Amino acid sequence: MNEVVYARVDSPVGIVWVASTGAGICRIALGAEQPGSFLSWLSRHLRPVELYEDAELMTVATSQIGEYFSGERQAFDLPLDVYGTAFQRAVWSQVACIPYGATASYGDIAQLVGKPKGSRAVGTAVGANPLPIVIPCHRVIGSGGDLVGFGAGLDVKERLLRLEDAYPL
């Protein structure tokens, strides 16, 4: 049985939920996602799973997330336990390389993963990112510079980009 520990962090964009297996951080949920849907996602994706809340065990992760929101951290140093298809993992790997304060388009990422006509597929993979902020999918924008597609809402995406001085674009 998988043991998953989770904790919450209060942030300028609302509650941030963070969960970890013994191997590393496996899920971060932002904004509107309530604890019930966060826990349900963990149960569906990590079956069988035993979930428990323990802020003390999650101190390193919650501290780094807090440092990000206070402007003290631009990159994360956390072990990750990410599950996804080979394509998703390739996209997430490229998204993770977008520097703090910068953006890239879905088309840019499609080029980097060798699928130049795959902007929509990239969008789907970005939308399935289980670790927003750490894998900074908020930095992926439309080709015209538009803010599009963010699970926590475009207002949260805009606030994250403003935090990093990457908006207006």
Side-chain angles (χ1 to χ4, degrees), residues 99-165:
Y100 183 94
T103 58
S105 73
Y106 293 93
D108 294 336
I109 302 298
Q111 289 285 339
L112 291 169
V113 298
K115 303 282 185 194
K117 295 184 182 191
S119 295
R120 287 186 185 204
V122 165
T124 300
V126 168
N129 174 17
L131 298 173
I133 299 176
V134 173
I135 299 175
C137 54
H138 61 280
R139 296 179 190 154
V140 183
I141 60 172
S143 60
D146 299 328
L147 297 185
V148 294
F150 194 64
L154 293 181
D155 60 323
V156 173
K157 184 173 191 162
E158 180 178 340
R159 291 173 74 186
L160 293 172
L161 290 172
R162 285 189 189 280
L163 173 76
E164 298 180 11
D165 288 328

Side-chain angles (χ1 to χ4, degrees), residues 4 6 10 16 31 33 45 56 60 74 80 82 91 98 126 151 155 160 169:
V4 177
Y6 66 93
D10 292 319
V16 176
E33 188 167 346
H45 288 83
E56 189 172 321
V60 172
Q74 295 185 359
L80 305 180
V82 184
V91 168
I98 304 170
V126 168
D155 60 323
L160 293 172
L169 306 171

Side-chain angles (χ1 to χ4, degrees), residues 25-118:
I25 304 301
C26 63
R27 177 77 170 136
I28 295 174
L30 299 172
E33 188 167 346
Q34 298 300 314
S37 58
F38 170 72
L39 297 174
S40 176
W41 186 97
L42 293 170
S43 295
R44 279 192 322 274
H45 288 83
L46 303 174
R47 288 185 270 198
V49 67
E50 183 178 329
L51 300 167
Y52 59 97
E53 188 169 5
D54 191 327
E56 189 172 321
L57 284 176
M58 298 295 293
T59 300
V60 172
T62 58
S63 293
Q64 287 192 24
I65 291 169
E67 291 165 0
Y68 168 81
F69 281 108
S70 69
E72 299 169 29
R73 176 172 292 277
Q74 295 185 359
F76 293 89
D77 181 23
L78 297 168
L80 305 180
D81 189 11
V82 184
Y83 300 90
T85 66
F87 180 73
Q88 287 172 328
R89 293 171 68 85
V91 168
W92 299 337
S93 178
Q94 292 302 321
V95 170
C97 293
I98 304 170
Y100 183 94
T103 58
S105 73
Y106 293 93
D108 294 336
I109 302 298
Q111 289 285 339
L112 291 169
V113 298
K115 303 282 185 194
K117 295 184 182 191

